[in-house]
Amino acid sequence: SSELTQDPAVSVALGQTVRITCQGDSLRSYYASWYQQKPGQAPVLVIYGKNNRPSGIPDRFSGSSSGNTASLTITGAQAEDEADYYCNSRDSSGNGVVFGGGTKLTVL
Amino acid sequence: QVQLQQWGAGLLKPSETLSLTCAVYGGSFSGYYWSWIRQPPGKGLEWIGEINHSGSTNYNPSLKSRVTISVDTSKNQFSLKLSSVTAADTAVYYCARARELTGARYYYYMDVWGKGTTVTVSS
């Protein structure tokens, strides 16, 4: 399969921890990368590789993976973390690229 | 710091060809994949295709028959053409820089994005 599957929506209470997951066959070979997108803005890379954060991304964002599932964890969610989150990797063929359908995170 | 600046026509009629260009400022053109991604209104991200500095391309199979991505290394620019557009091609189009690292497990990620260009197809 060349698809990545995400839950459409997740909510978290302010200050609590939330995990967003992404499943797909290609994740057995590729680490997922994760993007945060706020309304009207371009996506921003927040996690890549085994668990790497680009400069400027808070350390409350972390990544992990097991088998065909990758996870993005936000420890101590803040109001500004409310956004859509997308996972991404190469597809199973290694030539194409796939995105998950996105998860809308609501911070309560 | 690398920046991507993109431009192109924002309003097209059905059957016309979409044409967008993305310029790379402040970084090397080689060693990366240069990608196009789109996002229809209210929907998720869809990868269109990519090109590397030597001109090797990969395309989304669902769009392959209509897509051409090219590169001009002398100008540090890459371009997207999508032919025979319909209303279904209405979207925000993004250019992005992608890196792929090989090893025991592979890394693939898009670390720099353009601001996006809204393209509307309407008669």
Side-chain angles (χ1 to χ4, degrees):
Chain A
S1 169
S2 298
E3 296 180 347
L4 296 178
T5 301
Q6 297 181 240
D7 291 329
V10 171
S11 62
V12 61
L14 184 68
Q16 296 303 300
T17 297
V18 63
R19 177 175 293 180
I20 299 170
T21 61
C22 174
Q23 286 189 304
D25 289 344
S26 62
L27 300 183
R28 297 185 185 278
S29 302
Y30 283 87
Y31 288 110
S33 53
W34 291 93
Y35 306 84
Q36 176 191 70
Q37 187 181 35
K38 297 181 179 180
Q41 298 182 18
V44 173
L45 179 69
V46 295
I47 290 289
Y48 67 98
K50 190 173 184 180
N51 181 20
N52 301 101
R53 283 177 289 105
S55 174
I57 301 301
D59 61 5
R60 62 179 178 271
F61 289 88
S62 63
S64 61
S65 66
S66 178
N68 72 336
T69 301
S71 300
L72 172 70
T73 300
I74 307 174
T75 304
Q78 301 299 302
E80 61 263 34
D81 299 334
E82 187 163 288
D84 294 325
Y85 290 85
Y86 294 90
C87 59
N88 157 252
S89 81
R90 283 276 186 209
D91 67 13
S92 298
S93 76
N95 294 319
V97 173
V98 287
F99 285 94
T103 297
K104 183 175 183 62
L105 175 66
T106 300
V107 180
L108 304 172
Chain B
Q1 182 162 344
V2 177
Q3 294 186 349
L4 304 183
Q5 183 175 349
Q6 56 181 107
W7 65 89
L11 181 60
L12 297 172
K13 293 183 178 355
S15 81
E16 292 185 334
T17 295
L18 179 157
S19 182
L20 298 175
T21 298
C22 184
V24 181
Y25 296 103
S28 172
F29 208 70
S30 63
Y32 299 95
Y33 289 92
W34 302 95
S35 303
W36 289 98
I37 302 99
R38 71 180 183 179
Q39 186 170 36
K43 296 189 177 181
L45 301 170
E46 179 182 31
W47 177 73
I48 299 170
E50 65 185 5
I51 192 166
N52 65 13
H53 70 282
S54 62
S56 178
T57 55
N58 290 306
Y59 296 131
N60 185 324
S62 68
L63 299 169
K64 187 174 183 176
S65 63
R66 298 193 291 132
V67 173
T68 301
I69 297 176
S70 58
V71 65
D72 185 340
T73 53
S74 67
K75 295 181 179 180
N76 272 17
Q77 294 177 0
F78 62 107
S79 298
L80 168 69
K81 291 190 185 301
L82 180 67
S83 65
S84 304
V85 297
T86 70
D89 295 311
T90 293
V92 177
Y93 286 74
Y94 296 100
C95 58
R97 184 180 81 169
R99 283 198 82 178
E100 183 169 17
L101 304 175
T102 59
R105 200 161 174 181
Y106 294 82
Y107 289 42
Y108 180 88
Y109 58 95
M110 299 176 177
D111 61 344
V112 184
W113 292 67
K115 293 184 184 299
T117 299
T118 298
V119 176
T120 302
V121 180
S122 174
S123 57

PDB file of all heavy atoms in Angstrom, chain A residues 16-29:
ATOM      1  N   GLN A  16      -1.863  18.966  28.782  1.00  0.00           N
ATOM      2  CA  GLN A  16      -1.783  17.506  28.793  1.00  0.00           C
ATOM      3  C   GLN A  16      -0.990  16.995  27.588  1.00  0.00           C
ATOM      4  O   GLN A  16      -0.563  17.764  26.728  1.00  0.00           O
ATOM      5  CB  GLN A  16      -3.181  16.903  28.833  1.00  0.00           C
ATOM      6  CG  GLN A  16      -3.950  17.245  30.103  1.00  0.00           C
ATOM      7  CD  GLN A  16      -3.191  16.814  31.346  1.00  0.00           C
ATOM      8  OE1 GLN A  16      -2.885  15.637  31.541  1.00  0.00           O
ATOM      9  NE2 GLN A  16      -2.857  17.786  32.200  1.00  0.00           N
ATOM     10  N   THR A  17      -0.816  15.689  27.552  1.00  0.00           N
ATOM     11  CA  THR A  17      -0.033  15.043  26.494  1.00  0.00           C
ATOM     12  C   THR A  17      -0.951  14.387  25.479  1.00  0.00           C
ATOM     13  O   THR A  17      -1.958  13.772  25.856  1.00  0.00           O
ATOM     14  CB  THR A  17       0.912  13.993  27.102  1.00  0.00           C
ATOM     15  OG1 THR A  17       1.847  14.660  27.958  1.00  0.00           O
ATOM     16  CG2 THR A  17       1.657  13.229  26.019  1.00  0.00           C
ATOM     17  N   VAL A  18      -0.612  14.533  24.222  1.00  0.00           N
ATOM     18  CA  VAL A  18      -1.404  13.947  23.146  1.00  0.00           C
ATOM     19  C   VAL A  18      -0.485  13.241  22.157  1.00  0.00           C
ATOM     20  O   VAL A  18       0.637  13.682  21.912  1.00  0.00           O
ATOM     21  CB  VAL A  18      -2.244  15.017  22.417  1.00  0.00           C
ATOM     22  CG1 VAL A  18      -1.363  16.053  21.742  1.00  0.00           C
ATOM     23  CG2 VAL A  18      -3.200  14.374  21.409  1.00  0.00           C
ATOM     24  N   ARG A  19      -0.962  12.119  21.638  1.00  0.00           N
ATOM     25  CA  ARG A  19      -0.227  11.368  20.622  1.00  0.00           C
ATOM     26  C   ARG A  19      -1.055  11.298  19.351  1.00  0.00           C
ATOM     27  O   ARG A  19      -2.239  10.930  19.390  1.00  0.00           O
ATOM     28  CB  ARG A  19       0.103   9.972  21.122  1.00  0.00           C
ATOM     29  CG  ARG A  19       0.806   9.088  20.083  1.00  0.00           C
ATOM     30  CD  ARG A  19       1.222   7.754  20.668  1.00  0.00           C
ATOM     31  NE  ARG A  19       2.271   7.904  21.669  1.00  0.00           N
ATOM     32  CZ  ARG A  19       2.803   6.882  22.333  1.00  0.00           C
ATOM     33  NH1 ARG A  19       2.388   5.653  22.091  1.00  0.00           N
ATOM     34  NH2 ARG A  19       3.753   7.092  23.208  1.00  0.00           N
ATOM     35  N   ILE A  20      -0.431  11.616  18.248  1.00  0.00           N
ATOM     36  CA  ILE A  20      -1.055  11.533  16.931  1.00  0.00           C
ATOM     37  C   ILE A  20      -0.330  10.440  16.154  1.00  0.00           C
ATOM     38  O   ILE A  20       0.890  10.435  16.098  1.00  0.00           O
ATOM     39  CB  ILE A  20      -0.954  12.882  16.193  1.00  0.00           C
ATOM     40  CG1 ILE A  20      -1.689  13.970  16.977  1.00  0.00           C
ATOM     41  CG2 ILE A  20      -1.510  12.771  14.783  1.00  0.00           C
ATOM     42  CD1 ILE A  20      -1.431  15.379  16.453  1.00  0.00           C
ATOM     43  N   THR A  21      -1.095   9.506  15.590  1.00  0.00           N
ATOM     44  CA  THR A  21      -0.460   8.368  14.937  1.00  0.00           C
ATOM     45  C   THR A  21      -0.661   8.374  13.430  1.00  0.00           C
ATOM     46  O   THR A  21      -1.577   9.008  12.895  1.00  0.00           O
ATOM     47  CB  THR A  21      -0.996   7.039  15.507  1.00  0.00           C
ATOM     48  OG1 THR A  21      -2.392   6.967  15.267  1.00  0.00           O
ATOM     49  CG2 THR A  21      -0.705   6.941  16.995  1.00  0.00           C
ATOM     50  N   CYS A  22       0.206   7.604  12.775  1.00  0.00           N
ATOM     51  CA  CYS A  22       0.236   7.509  11.320  1.00  0.00           C
ATOM     52  C   CYS A  22       0.642   6.089  10.973  1.00  0.00           C
ATOM     53  O   CYS A  22       1.670   5.601  11.469  1.00  0.00           O
ATOM     54  CB  CYS A  22       1.246   8.518  10.781  1.00  0.00           C
ATOM     55  SG  CYS A  22       1.581   8.458   9.016  1.00  0.00           S
ATOM     56  N   GLN A  23      -0.180   5.404  10.185  1.00  0.00           N
ATOM     57  CA  GLN A  23       0.111   4.015   9.831  1.00  0.00           C
ATOM     58  C   GLN A  23       0.290   3.860   8.332  1.00  0.00           C
ATOM     59  O   GLN A  23      -0.454   4.465   7.539  1.00  0.00           O
ATOM     60  CB  GLN A  23      -1.038   3.111  10.287  1.00  0.00           C
ATOM     61  CG  GLN A  23      -1.104   2.867  11.775  1.00  0.00           C
ATOM     62  CD  GLN A  23      -2.122   1.803  12.124  1.00  0.00           C
ATOM     63  OE1 GLN A  23      -3.298   1.916  11.773  1.00  0.00           O
ATOM     64  NE2 GLN A  23      -1.679   0.764  12.811  1.00  0.00           N
ATOM     65  N   GLY A  24       1.235   3.018   7.950  1.00  0.00           N
ATOM     66  CA  GLY A  24       1.419   2.731   6.542  1.00  0.00           C
ATOM     67  C   GLY A  24       2.572   1.773   6.318  1.00  0.00           C
ATOM     68  O   GLY A  24       3.535   1.748   7.106  1.00  0.00           O
ATOM     69  N   ASP A  25       2.473   0.999   5.259  1.00  0.00           N
ATOM     70  CA  ASP A  25       3.513   0.007   4.973  1.00  0.00           C
ATOM     71  C   ASP A  25       4.878   0.641   4.763  1.00  0.00           C
ATOM     72  O   ASP A  25       5.909   0.074   5.147  1.00  0.00           O
ATOM     73  CB  ASP A  25       3.129  -0.808   3.736  1.00  0.00           C
ATOM     74  CG  ASP A  25       1.974  -1.757   4.006  1.00  0.00           C
ATOM     75  OD1 ASP A  25       1.671  -2.013   5.197  1.00  0.00           O
ATOM     76  OD2 ASP A  25       1.364  -2.254   3.035  1.00  0.00           O
ATOM     77  N   SER A  26       4.912   1.827   4.130  1.00  0.00           N
ATOM     78  CA  SER A  26       6.198   2.466   3.826  1.00  0.00           C
ATOM     79  C   SER A  26       6.949   2.835   5.098  1.00  0.00           C
ATOM     80  O   SER A  26       8.175   3.005   5.076  1.00  0.00           O
ATOM     81  CB  SER A  26       5.984   3.708   2.968  1.00  0.00           C
ATOM     82  OG  SER A  26       5.219   4.672   3.655  1.00  0.00           O
ATOM     83  N   LEU A  27       6.242   2.917   6.226  1.00  0.00           N
ATOM     84  CA  LEU A  27       6.887   3.318   7.481  1.00  0.00           C
ATOM     85  C   LEU A  27       7.741   2.204   8.076  1.00  0.00           C
ATOM     86  O   LEU A  27       8.435   2.421   9.065  1.00  0.00           O
ATOM     87  CB  LEU A  27       5.840   3.787   8.486  1.00  0.00           C
ATOM     88  CG  LEU A  27       5.007   4.991   8.031  1.00  0.00           C
ATOM     89  CD1 LEU A  27       4.055   5.428   9.136  1.00  0.00           C
ATOM     90  CD2 LEU A  27       5.884   6.151   7.589  1.00  0.00           C
ATOM     91  N   ARG A  28       7.688   1.040   7.479  1.00  0.00           N
ATOM     92  CA  ARG A  28       8.602  -0.024   7.906  1.00  0.00           C
ATOM     93  C   ARG A  28      10.010   0.246   7.368  1.00  0.00           C
ATOM     94  O   ARG A  28      10.996  -0.250   7.910  1.00  0.00           O
ATOM     95  CB  ARG A  28       8.116  -1.381   7.402  1.00  0.00           C
ATOM     96  CG  ARG A  28       6.764  -1.801   7.976  1.00  0.00           C
ATOM     97  CD  ARG A  28       6.379  -3.209   7.544  1.00  0.00           C
ATOM     98  NE  ARG A  28       5.040  -3.548   7.990  1.00  0.00           N
ATOM     99  CZ  ARG A  28       4.739  -3.990   9.207  1.00  0.00           C
ATOM    100  NH1 ARG A  28       5.704  -4.131  10.112  1.00  0.00           N
ATOM    101  NH2 ARG A  28       3.496  -4.291   9.527  1.00  0.00           N
ATOM    102  N   SER A  29      10.102   1.042   6.308  1.00  0.00           N
ATOM    103  CA  SER A  29      11.397   1.367   5.704  1.00  0.00           C
ATOM    104  C   SER A  29      11.800   2.812   5.917  1.00  0.00           C
ATOM    105  O   SER A  29      12.998   3.132   5.923  1.00  0.00           O
ATOM    106  CB  SER A  29      11.367   1.086   4.195  1.00  0.00           C
ATOM    107  OG  SER A  29      11.049  -0.260   3.936  1.00  0.00           O
TER     108      SER A  29
END
